[in-house]
Amino acid sequence: MSVTQLAVTRWCCRVMTSAATGMSVMWTVKVVGLGAVAFSLSVELLWRLLRHLRPPTVLNEVLFFPSNVACMEHIFSPASPHSCCCPLPHGVQTSFTRLLRFILSATSSLDLCLFSFSNMDLSRAVLHLYRKKVAVRVLVDEQYSVISGSQVGALRKAGRFIHNAVKWRHPSLSPCSSSSSAGICVRNVGLYVHMHHKFALVDGRRLITGSLNWTLAAVQCNAENILVTEEPRLVRPFVGEFRRLWADNDPCQNGPSCDRNVARN
């Protein structure tokens, strides 16, 4: 082999080696790139899966009283925030406005189990829900339901109006029956020295409970507390307690006399 042929052969080998090296580098880059894309997609899919499996945030809020005094008109008439000309602060958030908003959030039902109920703003909120066709049931202490200033009478009047209308259309329905989905039904609890509960159930899934009586003095003068929660393990026992008291204090248990019992209440 001549010197020229040897040189050509070496050059060809170098070219082939360089080409092979270049292809190897390209394949390495491609593999690394695909690996990086696969890793990125895996991380994103894992994050989405963990976010999907993570339990949703559950409402848990604590309110303390006494509450600062403020105008409540913007709560009941949000479309007209400047309709009130009273000297009280307007548009401010207090513990009491938070409580009112939680109560007014009811869309299907509101169950109240209260020792004392004389706060007019809270009564206004309940009547507001009644006018929106929210079913309202109220359990109250028998003695405190008739004290001066009690708002239970206003609720009973609204419930009696609904009862008379339902009775006129459906004579077979008894007052406060489960077939009546709208209106206000009030039952006295007289089986104990006092029915001292203070809790509300909004749509059967949100619990409002604490030391606060639904009175003006408790809201504005006393050191009180309210817990608002949607934690199922806390809500369920209160749902069961309300159902138990509601059944135990059914005025229709005595058959034909139930209409007279409701009329007396």
Side-chain angles (χ1 to χ4, degrees), residues 19-239:
T21 303
M23 292 179 64
S24 177
V25 171
M26 289 177 62
W27 277 107
T28 302
V29 171
K30 287 182 179 180
V31 170
V32 171
L34 289 173
V37 171
F39 178 76
S40 177
L41 290 174
S42 299
V43 171
E44 184 177 355
L45 289 174
L46 180 62
W47 168 250
R48 290 185 179 183
L49 179 63
L50 291 175
R51 187 171 58 180
H52 179 73
L53 295 176
R54 185 174 56 190
T57 303
V58 178
L59 172 66
N60 285 297
E61 186 169 332
V62 176
L63 305 174
F64 290 107
F65 295 81
S67 176
N68 294 330
V69 179
C71 179
M72 300 295 145
E73 287 304 313
H74 69 287
I75 303 291
F76 297 101
S77 304
S80 305
H82 305 296
S83 59
C84 181
C85 300
C86 74
L88 296 176
H90 289 73
V92 298
Q93 182 166 283
T94 66
S95 293
F96 189 53
T97 61
R98 290 291 295 161
L99 174 60
L100 282 175
R101 290 188 187 279
F102 282 128
I103 294 169
L104 291 171
S105 68
T107 58
S108 60
S109 67
L110 177 68
D111 292 334
L112 304 177
C113 191
L114 304 170
F115 172 63
S116 183
F117 188 3
S118 61
N119 187 287
M120 296 184 67
D121 285 318
L122 289 169
S123 176
R124 183 181 176 185
V126 175
L127 292 172
H128 181 78
L129 291 174
Y130 148 71
R131 286 189 289 270
K132 291 174 61 179
K133 308 300 183 183
V134 174
V136 180
R137 297 185 297 177
V138 184
L139 287 166
V140 291
D141 181 80
E142 187 172 43
Q143 297 180 34
Y144 272 73
S145 66
V146 294
I147 64 171
S148 177
S150 174
Q151 294 297 306
V152 174
L155 304 185
R156 281 207 170 97
K157 288 179 182 178
R160 192 171 296 123
F161 173 79
I162 282 292
H163 165 58
N164 291 337
V166 171
K167 196 74 174 176
W168 178 74
R169 292 184 179 87
H170 307 283
S172 62
L173 285 180
S174 62
C176 302
S177 70
S178 58
S179 301
S180 181
S181 60
I184 299 176
C185 187
V186 182
R187 290 182 181 176
N188 284 341
V189 180
L191 302 177
Y192 312 96
V193 174
H194 284 303
M195 199 288 296
H196 214 238
H197 285 317
K198 303 117 181 175
F199 69 86
L201 293 162
V202 178
D203 295 334
R205 61 178 180 82
R206 176 177 294 171
L207 169 67
I208 302 173
T209 187
S211 67
L212 184 80
N213 278 311
W214 285 29
T215 65
L216 182 64
V219 170
Q220 294 187 0
C221 304
N222 295 351
E224 308 277 4
N225 66 81
I226 283 286
L227 169 66
V228 184
T229 181
E230 291 182 353
E231 189 72 48
R233 63 187 179 86
L234 298 178
V235 176
R236 279 193 296 268
F238 282 87
V239 172

